Amino acid sequence: MDKRVKFDFEIYFSNGGGISGNDFRFDIAGDDISDKELADYIVADMRLLMVGEVKILDKEIITEKHKRKPINAGLASEVFIDLSHTIENGLITYKGLPAPIICDFLSREDSKSLYEEGTEFQIGKIEMVSNTGTYIDCPFHRYENGKDLSEVELEAFTDLDGIVIHIPYSETLAITEEHLKNYEIRNRAVLIHTGWDEFWNTDNYFRPNPHLTKGAAEYLRDCAVKLVGIDSMNIDDTTGKSRPTHTILLGSEILIVEHLCNLYLLPDDGFTFSAIPPKFKGVGTFPVRAMAKIQR
């Protein structure tokens, strides 16, 4: 059944003045549309610039035959997929490393005495090692003179052209260069989906883990990838003392993201990947809110 939205609007410009409209009608694709979606559509449809506040007034959804392409129908939209685990008090990310302590530095109750009646705030306190949750490794993590988080340029971990390569842990734990061939990976963020994240926050997560071999790391380096991520507890084999994948990738300033999740939600390509840490000096690893952006 065709649905339309009938409404009035007022638009105010940031450099002064404004315009208004009464009894406007637009076709919509579903049964409803939010005020913000409607305001954004009006601004875009009218090609307005310097727009400040937009008010949608007397909005009403009516049943009426469509007269033009509905709002959102056939239009590209961005979908964001969260690829990070939640960090909470007491979480064990890696056996042998302490769990984070997350608590109040200033509680809401204690803050009431500092502000006027009805005003309260919370200030949190976090104590943790930098290898907590889903995190990114930069060269300083492995090399004393490598770039730390403050020295890595934003372009290195923001809106990277991404690709997912599926290598189930049930088939192999050792991921070799042969698993990575026949993919377009140059200048891309290569995300290795093993499915190991299903064991997150359980003892099984710390069993011998899916990892890249030295040969796989060398292949990725030689293909000039920009970043490599994995949904395992480590990109290297943790059963011994050698860490060739960290050594090779970080030695070539190829960033590493470990403990990813939800990679099964992504298309094989056609998305961008971001994993942005705070700008710390003297730190080589830190948690990130890793995410993918898909155009639909």
Side-chain angles (χ1 to χ4, degrees):
M1 187 176 295
D2 291 345
K3 296 290 185 179
R4 309 191 79 205
V5 58
K6 182 176 71 171
F7 62 98
D8 302 337
F9 69 83
E10 296 175 358
I11 298 177
Y12 300 91
F13 298 104
S14 58
N15 57 349
I19 59 174
S20 63
N22 300 102
D23 200 26
F24 262 60
R25 301 188 183 203
F26 281 128
D27 300 332
I28 58 175
D31 293 329
D32 200 3
I33 185 170
S34 70
D35 288 0
K36 184 181 186 305
E37 289 173 319
L38 190 51
D40 289 344
Y41 183 81
I42 297 167
V43 171
D45 195 55
M46 299 177 71
R47 300 183 180 181
L48 301 177
L49 302 175
M50 304 293 287
V51 174
E53 183 182 11
V54 179
K55 294 182 179 180
I56 302 297
L57 308 168
D58 298 324
K59 185 177 72 175
E60 179 184 358
I61 305 299
I62 60 177
T63 301
E64 193 172 88
K65 186 175 178 59
H66 284 174
K67 296 178 173 57
R68 59 184 292 190
K69 181 183 291 187
I71 296 174
N72 295 331
L75 298 179
S77 62
E78 293 179 345
V79 177
F80 296 91
I81 306 295
D82 194 340
L83 305 176
S84 301
H85 290 290
T86 298
I87 299 173
E88 56 189 350
N89 184 61
L91 171 73
I92 299 295
T93 299
Y94 197 98
K95 277 196 172 180
L97 297 179
I101 300 172
I102 305 173
C103 58
D104 289 340
F105 174 78
L106 177 68
S107 70
R108 298 187 186 280
E109 186 63 32
D110 290 343
S111 76
K112 291 179 180 178
S113 64
L114 303 176
Y115 305 102
E116 65 182 4
E117 185 175 355
T119 300
E120 60 185 56
F121 295 94
Q122 186 265 2
I123 298 177
K125 179 180 178 181
I126 302 173
E127 180 181 322
M128 68 179 187
V129 295
S130 57
N131 291 52
T132 298
T134 302
Y135 54 76
I136 194 164
D137 293 343
C138 65
F140 185 76
H141 178 51
R142 171 65 179 80
Y143 295 97
E144 181 179 1
N145 296 318
K147 290 181 179 179
D148 64 21
L149 294 174
S150 70
E151 295 168 322
V152 176
E153 60 278 6
L154 283 170
E155 292 80 4
F157 37 60
T158 308
D159 283 341
L160 303 177
D161 182 25
I163 181 172
V164 176
I165 300 178
H166 304 277
I167 310 167
Y169 72 83
S170 57
E171 295 181 7
T172 183
L173 295 182
I175 299 166
T176 72
E177 59 269 34
E178 294 303 318
H179 293 104
L180 306 175
K181 291 181 178 179
N182 300 315
Y183 292 98
E184 186 61 56
I185 61 175
R186 189 174 185 84
N187 291 324
R188 303 180 86 175
V190 179
L191 308 182
I192 308 298
H193 174 221
T194 72
W196 198 252
D197 58 319
E198 71 175 83
F199 301 120
W200 175 255
N201 210 11
T202 71
D203 286 340
N204 284 332
Y205 193 72
F206 307 112
R207 293 181 301 160
N209 59 291
H211 59 274
L212 300 183
T213 63
K214 179 182 177 182
E218 290 172 337
Y219 180 76
L220 291 168
R221 176 200 62 196
D222 294 344
C223 290
V225 304
K226 288 190 174 181
L227 178 149
V228 183
I230 193 167
D231 57 2
S232 170
M233 72 177 215
N234 202 298
I235 203 166
D236 266 302
D237 182 0
T238 58
T239 59
K241 293 184 177 181
S242 177
R243 298 292 186 269
T245 300
H246 279 84
T247 298
I248 292 165
L249 296 182
L250 296 180
S252 298
E253 297 192 352
I254 298 169
L255 303 182
I256 297 169
V257 180
E258 294 167 321
H259 308 280
L260 288 167
C261 62
N262 298 330
L263 293 179
Y264 72 94
L265 294 174
L266 300 183
D268 291 348
D269 56 17
F271 65 91
T272 60
F273 176 79
S274 299
I276 307 174
K279 195 176 182 180
F280 276 112
K281 186 70 178 174
V283 177
T285 298
F286 206 78
V288 292
R289 189 70 177 265
M291 53 80 66
K293 180 170 63 177
I294 306 170
Q295 295 287 344
R296 287 182 178 171

